[in-house]
Amino acid sequence: MKVVEIENLNLDILPTKKVEEFRSFNIYPIFEKDLDFNLEKDIDLNQYSYLKDEHFYNIFLVDNELVFENELNKFLEVSYEKFEDSVNKLYTLNSYINKEALNLTINEKLDKPLNIISIFQGNNKFFTNSLNINIKADVDILETFHNDLSKDFLISANRKYTVLEDIKANIAKVQTLQNGNIITNYKTDLKSNAILNLVNLEYKADLALNIFDSKLENENAVLNIDGIVKNKAKQRSGNIAFIEHIAKSTTSDIKIKHLLDENAHCLFDISSTVQNSALYSKAFQNSQTIILSDDAKINANPRLQIYIDELEAAHGASCGTLNEDELYYLCSRGISKAKAREMIIDSIELQVIREIELKAIRRYIKNLKRINHV
């Protein structure tokens, strides 16, 4: 069955030709693939035990069910709720497959970070993955998207982060998916003085698209999004955001770094609107791209719509190659050009990983990258 043949599917939620031409990033063909909606049952999670880490509370997310140890029951609460609307129409796609979205509430502060491991198993599958996280205490979360045995698949993942008043949430997402496609749709609900720091690390997927929908409706809410995209071959990655500042003294800061080789293609399409009610707000956007080949390309389109004068705002997009002076310096110390190139790329990537506050998460990502050779 093709995604576009889902019963009662409103095709208006899928990207239109006009929008895709504007972005020069057509994703419609992936919805026309003949994918299997019947998922594998009774997956043996023991084969993924190497993804667990003793420095984390490890949770598996498989087929829209959470699997975790009983010791977490006093901290976490699991329920289900109806799907919501979003300015991002693709957010509603999962509602045609699943009746409800999975809801995880973090009621108390944990002494270790959470590692939520999403597993996808099976070829030519269409996976849905919807999780709302309600955060009532300061928390560090790592989301790991991983596949060992799958190829030619499409993942439609929804995430809604609700952060309560005066709470700080640090969330890192790392995906090492290969031979497949993933679209992650984000919504945020940040209460007064809430802070959400989100770091996205994208590796290997044929297509990885992040779409953010965030309305900053409460005073002093802060949304920081950092990301690294490391693509080669014909891999494509995109970051699309609709950010609206409504309340006073709200902050949004979106920074994405791209490392593009061979025929890789990336999209940076960010729209931030500051309404006249959002006095003294701050809105920042920045895309930085290193082109490593003649055929790699990026479409960068940062946009600000501002209706007041009392604010701080800036947007920018830069594109260049590796620093020749740095290459020369390293080569003059006896390092091969290939190794010097690798070292500079790693240093750029490390700048983003360092935005993750918790050392345990940075170490886990380093080990995961080593396992997946990225």
Side-chain angles (χ1 to χ4, degrees), residues 254-297:
I254 303 174
K255 302 188 296 291
I256 309 294
K257 294 183 184 293
H258 310 88
L259 298 165
L260 309 182
D261 204 354
E262 300 175 11
N263 291 290
H265 179 195
C266 275
L267 170 68
F268 179 86
D269 186 10
I270 311 299
S271 174
S272 297
T273 302
V274 184
Q275 302 291 3
N276 54 20
S277 56
L279 294 168
Y280 317 117
S281 291
K282 300 178 181 179
F284 305 110
Q285 311 167 356
N286 187 261
S287 166
Q288 297 181 359
T289 304
I290 299 296
I291 299 291
L292 302 170
S293 73
D294 292 335
D295 296 317
K297 63 181 179 180

Side-chain angles (χ1 to χ4, degrees), residues 174-176 199-204 226-231 257-259 288 290 292 322 341-356 362 365-366 368-370 373-374:
V174 56
Q175 66 86 1
T176 55
V199 178
N200 271 336
L201 308 174
E202 306 289 353
Y203 306 108
K204 282 200 165 186
D226 288 88
I228 186 76
V229 175
K230 192 176 180 182
N231 282 359
K257 294 183 184 293
H258 310 88
L259 298 165
Q288 297 181 359
I290 299 296
L292 302 170
L322 291 181
R341 188 174 184 264
E342 180 183 340
M343 291 171 65
I344 296 173
I345 291 172
D346 287 345
S347 70
I348 296 170
E349 185 178 354
L350 188 60
Q351 293 173 18
V352 176
I353 294 176
R354 282 176 176 164
E355 295 295 326
I356 300 170
R362 297 198 301 267
I365 290 171
K366 181 180 179 180
L368 191 66
K369 280 165 49 62
R370 176 180 51 81
H373 308 292
V374 295

Side-chain angles (χ1 to χ4, degrees), residues 1-15 27-39 89-97 124-128 152-157 181-183 185 207:
M1 181 184 291
K2 299 178 181 179
V3 176
V4 293
E5 294 173 351
I6 296 174
E7 186 177 0
N8 298 321
L9 177 65
N10 178 6
L11 294 180
D12 289 341
I13 73 172
L14 301 179
I27 65 170
Y28 194 92
I30 68 173
F31 297 104
E32 295 182 315
K33 290 185 176 181
D34 195 7
L35 299 172
D36 184 1
F37 287 64
N38 299 308
L39 304 183
K89 294 181 180 180
L90 278 176
Y91 194 88
T92 63
L93 176 59
N94 290 9
S95 66
Y96 289 88
I97 308 298
N124 303 301
K125 300 288 186 180
F126 177 69
F127 299 98
T128 58
D152 300 324
F153 56 87
L154 170 60
I155 300 168
S156 176
N181 309 285
I182 177 171
I183 299 174
N185 304 293
L207 169 73

